C-alpha cells in the first residue's frame, strides 16, 4: 500500500456541497492509497480480523497496474456471498488535519458478480491490528454497477457515529473498512481522501517556530536516577506513580542515556507526572510544538500487577493534555496530530503541533464552601471552551507514548517549545527565510500562481497582506 500526499492551496472550497467561505484562506491536501508498491499476493485484513488470502493484490485484469481483489466465499452453501468488508487497520490524516477536515472520500471498484444488489459501502473503525470495534454505521455509495470500473464518492459528514464513538469525530487516525457486503469477486483501485480546512493563526505561528529564539522546556531523564522499582516522575495516565512497569533506565541495548522504559502501559500512556510549567510570561496558548523520541521493541509488555504478558503491535504515538494529574482528559482518547505508526526496533522522532489536538467537551463539578455549607455546582465546557480554558494555564500535564501500549517501548528527549504569536519573524513574517544569493525569493499565492520572483526581500514585504508560499514555506505578510 502506498500513500501519496498532494498538498494544495486554494481560496475556494472543493465543491458547493461543503460549507467553506469563498474568501477564506484554506489549506487542502489529498491522500491517495494505491496498491502499486505492494507485491503481488500481498494480503489485506478482513473487517473483523487479520490478513486474509481472499483479499489480496493482483495484476489489474481490466486495466493497468495493480489492484486489490476481493474473492472470498463465506460457505459452500453460499459460494457467491462474501459477508465482510476489507479493512485498512490504521489510516493517519496528514499533519495538521483530522477527520473533521475530511471533505470527500473517493474510490474505484469493478464488480463482476450481480447476485446481490448491494452498494459499495465504507465505514470507520477504531484504529489498530486485530478486531476493532466500529465507529460508524456503513455508508453506501449508491446503486451498484457491474462489469465496468465505477468511481463513487462519499460525503464524510453523512457517516453516522455510534453512541460510544461520537468523541472520535475529530480523530487524527482511524481504521477504514470498505467493500460490498453480500457480494464477492470485485476489484478496488485507488482510494482517495480529500482534506480541507481554513488556515488558523495558530497554524501560522507553528509554521514560523524559530527554535533559536523560542523558549523550551526540556525534560532530561539523565538527571533522574535509574529506578527499576518505578519513578515518582512518571506514572499512568489514570493516576498511578511508582509503577514497576514504568521505570527510568538506560534504554535499549547500546543506548547509554537514561530514558523512560514502559514495560507495560496497556490501555494507558505514560504521564509526565510533574506539572509542566511554562516559561515565565508564557501560557499553554503559546505552546507551538511537543516533540520526543520513542523506541518500540518487539518484546511483549508485562503487567506489573499480575505478570500477564501482552504482545502486540502498538498503535500511533498519542498526546493527551490535562490541567492536573488526576483531572479529566481534555482531548478524550488523545491526538496523534499527524503522526502515523512508527517502525519497530529503532528510535523514531515524533512531533505534535497543538493546533492538531482534537479537544473534548468536559463535565465536572465545582465545590464552594466547606462541610455542611459546601455547594457543588455542575459545569459543562464544550470543546471550544476546553481549548480556551486550557490556553490560559501556565501549568499543565501531558501524557505521551502509545495507546494502547502492548509491546515494550522507551521515551526520551521530551521538549516543549513556546513562542508568542507572530514572534517567529519580523512584521512581514519573512525574516527567517534563508535565500541563497543566486536564487532570491520566489512567491506564490494560495492559488498556486507565482506572484513574484525577486532578489530583494523588501519587495516581498511590500506585497498585499495575506498568506503566501515563499521559497516553498508558508508565510504571512501583515
Amino acid at each position: 500500500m502506498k500513500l501519496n500526499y498532494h498538498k494544495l492551496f486554494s481560496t475556494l472550497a472543493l465543491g458547493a456541497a461543503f460549507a467553506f467561505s469563498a474568501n477564506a484562506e484554506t489549506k487542502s491536501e489529498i491522500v491517495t492509497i494505491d496498491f502499486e508498491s505492494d507485491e503481488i499476493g500481498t494480503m489485506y485484513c478482513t473487517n473483523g480480523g487479520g490478513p486474509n488470502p481472499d483479499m489480496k493484490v493482483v495484476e489489474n485484469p481490466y486495466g493497468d497496474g495493480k489492484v486489490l481483489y476481493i474473492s472470498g466465499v463465506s460457505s459452500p452453501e453460499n459460494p457467491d456471498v462474501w459477508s465482510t468488508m476489507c479493512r485498512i487497520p490504521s489510516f493517519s490524516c496528514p499533519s495538521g488535519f483530522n477527520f473533521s477536515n475530511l471533505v470527500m472520500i473517493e474510490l474505484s471498484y469493478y464488480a463482476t458478480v450481480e447476485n446481490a444488489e448491494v452498494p459499495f459501502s465504507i465505514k470507520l473503525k477504531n484504529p489498530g491490528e486485530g478486531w476493532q470495534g466500529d465507529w460508524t454505521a456503513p455508508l453506501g455509495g449508491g446503486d451498484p454497477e457491474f462489469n465496468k470500473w465505477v468511481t463513487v464518492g462519499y460525503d464524510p459528514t453523512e457517516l453516522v457515529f455510534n453512541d460510544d464513538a461520537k468523541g472520535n469525530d475529530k480523530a487524527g487516525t482511524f481504521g477504514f473498512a470498505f467493500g460490498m457486503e453480500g457480494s464477492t469477486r470485485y476489484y478496488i483501485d485507488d482510494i482517495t481522501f480529500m482534506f480541507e480546512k481554513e488556515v488558523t493563526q495558530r497554524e501560522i505561528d507553528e509554521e514560523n517556530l524559530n527554535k533559536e529564539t523560542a523558549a523550551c522546556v526540556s525534560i532530561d531523564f539523565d538527571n533522574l536516577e535509574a529506578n527499576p522499582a518505578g519513578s515518582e516522575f512518571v506514572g499512568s495516565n489514570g493516576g498511578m506513580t511508582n509503577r514497576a512497569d514504568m521505570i527510568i533506565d538506560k534504554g535499549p541495548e547500546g543506548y547509554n542515556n537514561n530514558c523512560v522504559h514502559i514495560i507495560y502501559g496497556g490501555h494507558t500512556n505514560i504521564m509526565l507526572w510533574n506539572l509542566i510549567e511554562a516559561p515565565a510570561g508564557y501560557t499553554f496558548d503559546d505552546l507551538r510544538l511537543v516533540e520526543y523520541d520513542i523506541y518500540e521493541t518487539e518484546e511483549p509488555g508485562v503487567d506489573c500487577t499480575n505478570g500477564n504478558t501482552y504482545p502486540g503491535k502498538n498503535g500511533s504515538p498519542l498526546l493527551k493534555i490535562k490541567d492536573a494529574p488526576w483531572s479529566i482528559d481534555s482531548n478524550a482518547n488523545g491526538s496523534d496530530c499527524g503522526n502515523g505508526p512508527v517502525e519497530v526496533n529503532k528510535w523514531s522522532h515524533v512531533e505534535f503541533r497543538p493546533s492538531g489536538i482534537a479537544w473534548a467537551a468536559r463535565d465536572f463539578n465545582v465545590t464552594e464552601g466547606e462541610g455542611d455549607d459546601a455547594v457543588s455546582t455542575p459545569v459543562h465546557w464544550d470543546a471550544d471552551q476546553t481549548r480556551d480554558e486550557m490556553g490560559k494555564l501556565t501549568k499543565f500535564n501531558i501524557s505521551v507514548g502509545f495507546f494502547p501500549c502492548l509491546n515494550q517501548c522507551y521515551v526520551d528527549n521530551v521538549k516543549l517549545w513556546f513562542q508568542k504569536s507572530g514572534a517567529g519573524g519580523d512584521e512581514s513574517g519573512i525574516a527567517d527565510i534563508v535565500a541563497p544569493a543566486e536564487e532570491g525569493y520566489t512567491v506564490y499565492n494560495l492559488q498556486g500562481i507565482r506572484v513574484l520572483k525577486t532578489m530583494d526581500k523588501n519587495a516581498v514585504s511590500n506585497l498585499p497582506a495575506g498568506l503566501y508560499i515563499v521559497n516553498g514555506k508558508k508565510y504571512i505578510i501583515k
Side-chain angles (χ1 to χ4, degrees):
M1 180 178 70
K2 181 179 181 182
L3 276 66
N4 297 315
Y5 291 78
H6 303 283
K7 293 184 179 179
L8 306 172
F9 298 90
S10 68
T11 56
L12 296 175
L14 291 175
F18 308 110
F20 286 91
S21 166
N23 296 320
E25 294 175 339
T26 62
K27 173 184 177 182
S28 303
E29 193 151 338
I30 295 176
V31 184
T32 299
I33 297 174
D34 64 35
F35 307 98
E36 295 302 322
S37 62
D38 289 336
E39 295 183 3
I40 298 297
T42 298
M43 294 184 292
Y44 276 69
C45 296
T46 64
N47 182 52
N52 189 288
D54 289 324
M55 296 179 171
K56 61 186 178 183
V57 175
V58 300
E59 293 286 354
N60 187 352
Y62 303 106
D64 298 326
K66 301 174 185 176
V67 292
L68 182 62
Y69 179 38
I70 311 299
S71 61
V73 295
S74 62
S75 70
E77 294 78 21
N78 297 289
D80 292 329
V81 175
W82 187 221
S83 58
T84 187
M85 292 178 166
C86 186
R87 178 172 57 93
I88 294 173
S90 293
F91 174 87
S92 292
C93 301
S95 180
F97 291 87
N98 60 47
F99 176 80
S100 69
N101 309 129
L102 184 60
V103 296
M104 178 68 80
I105 302 172
E106 273 189 357
L107 57 80
S108 298
Y109 73 90
Y110 191 113
T112 63
V113 177
E114 302 183 25
N115 67 305
E117 294 295 317
V118 293
F120 198 106
S121 299
I122 65 172
K123 63 180 175 180
L124 303 190
K125 301 179 73 70
N126 194 57
E129 300 289 342
W131 187 90
Q132 298 293 337
D134 294 339
W135 276 359
T136 68
L139 175 63
D143 295 332
E145 300 184 55
F146 301 93
N147 298 316
K148 65 177 182 179
W149 281 106
V150 179
T151 299
V152 59
Y154 304 82
D155 179 354
T157 62
E158 295 180 359
L159 283 164
V160 178
F161 278 80
N162 303 332
D163 287 342
D164 60 352
K166 288 180 179 178
N168 297 304
D169 58 350
K170 294 184 179 181
T173 298
F174 51 86
F176 182 66
F178 49 93
M180 303 175 75
E181 291 187 283
S183 187
T184 189
R185 292 199 289 277
Y186 53 92
Y187 301 82
I188 302 167
D189 204 348
D190 293 351
I191 306 172
T192 300
F193 299 83
M194 303 177 186
F195 296 84
E196 187 161 63
K197 68 175 184 179
E198 294 185 18
V199 178
T200 67
Q201 182 61 47
R202 285 194 178 100
E203 291 176 282
I204 295 170
D205 290 332
E206 289 169 354
E207 289 283 347
N208 289 336
L209 174 65
N210 183 348
K211 291 184 178 180
E212 293 184 1
T213 57
C216 181
V217 173
S218 180
I219 301 175
D220 187 357
F221 300 108
D222 285 333
N223 292 334
L224 301 175
E225 293 183 6
N227 185 354
S231 171
E232 294 183 358
F233 184 79
V234 298
S236 66
N237 183 59
M240 178 182 174
T241 55
N242 281 317
R243 292 175 56 135
D245 50 13
M246 292 182 175
I247 65 176
I248 305 294
D249 69 13
K250 290 296 184 183
E253 184 177 355
Y255 193 74
N256 294 319
N257 298 321
N258 279 359
C259 58
V260 178
H261 181 187
I262 301 96
I263 299 172
Y264 175 62
H267 288 273
T268 182
N269 44 358
I270 68 164
M271 168 69 71
L272 300 180
W273 197 254
N274 289 353
L275 283 172
I276 304 296
E277 186 166 356
Y282 293 89
T283 69
F284 183 88
D285 254 344
D286 303 315
L287 181 64
R288 303 295 173 223
L289 181 69
V290 178
E291 61 179 342
Y292 59 85
D293 296 329
I294 193 164
Y295 185 106
E296 180 181 357
T297 75
E298 293 180 307
E299 299 175 78
V302 182
D303 188 335
C304 68
T305 64
N306 54 30
N308 290 343
T309 59
Y310 296 87
K313 183 73 174 71
N314 292 330
S316 298
L318 293 182
L319 175 69
K320 285 189 177 185
I321 303 294
K322 303 163 88 79
D323 57 3
W326 287 83
S327 73
I328 302 169
D329 296 336
S330 294
N331 56 323
N333 289 335
S335 297
D336 67 10
C337 301
N339 291 293
V342 304
E343 296 184 48
V344 176
N345 294 329
K346 64 177 294 186
W347 283 102
S348 299
H349 185 72
V350 295
E351 297 185 348
F352 298 87
R353 294 188 174 187
S355 65
I357 291 174
W359 296 93
R362 288 183 55 175
D363 291 284
F364 54 96
N365 292 316
V366 173
T367 301
E368 297 182 352
E370 297 180 359
D372 295 337
D373 297 327
V375 177
S376 182
T377 304
V379 177
H380 172 78
W381 290 346
D382 63 21
D384 290 336
Q385 287 175 294
T386 300
R387 176 62 182 88
D388 290 343
E389 294 298 325
M390 288 296 301
K392 303 172 185 177
L393 298 181
T394 58
K395 295 182 179 181
F396 55 91
N397 272 92
I398 61 173
S399 291
V400 300
F402 295 108
F403 182 87
C405 186
L406 301 176
N407 286 341
Q408 297 185 38
C409 65
Y410 300 87
V411 171
D412 199 6
N413 301 321
V414 181
K415 292 184 173 67
L416 293 87
W417 296 90
F418 294 81
Q419 184 172 270
K420 292 294 182 181
S421 181
D426 62 10
E427 286 301 308
S428 69
I430 63 169
D432 57 341
I433 298 178
V434 177
E438 67 275 12
E439 295 183 12
Y441 302 89
T442 303
V443 185
Y444 291 84
N445 64 17
L446 295 182
Q447 295 158 301
I449 300 172
R450 191 173 78 184
V451 297
L452 182 66
K453 185 173 178 64
T454 180
M455 303 296 291
D456 182 7
K457 185 171 70 176
N458 291 329
V460 183
S461 303
N462 291 330
L463 286 168
L467 188 64
Y468 296 88
I469 311 302
V470 184
N471 290 357
K473 299 180 68 174
K474 295 195 298 294
Y475 286 90
I476 187 170
I477 309 298
K478 300 181 179 180

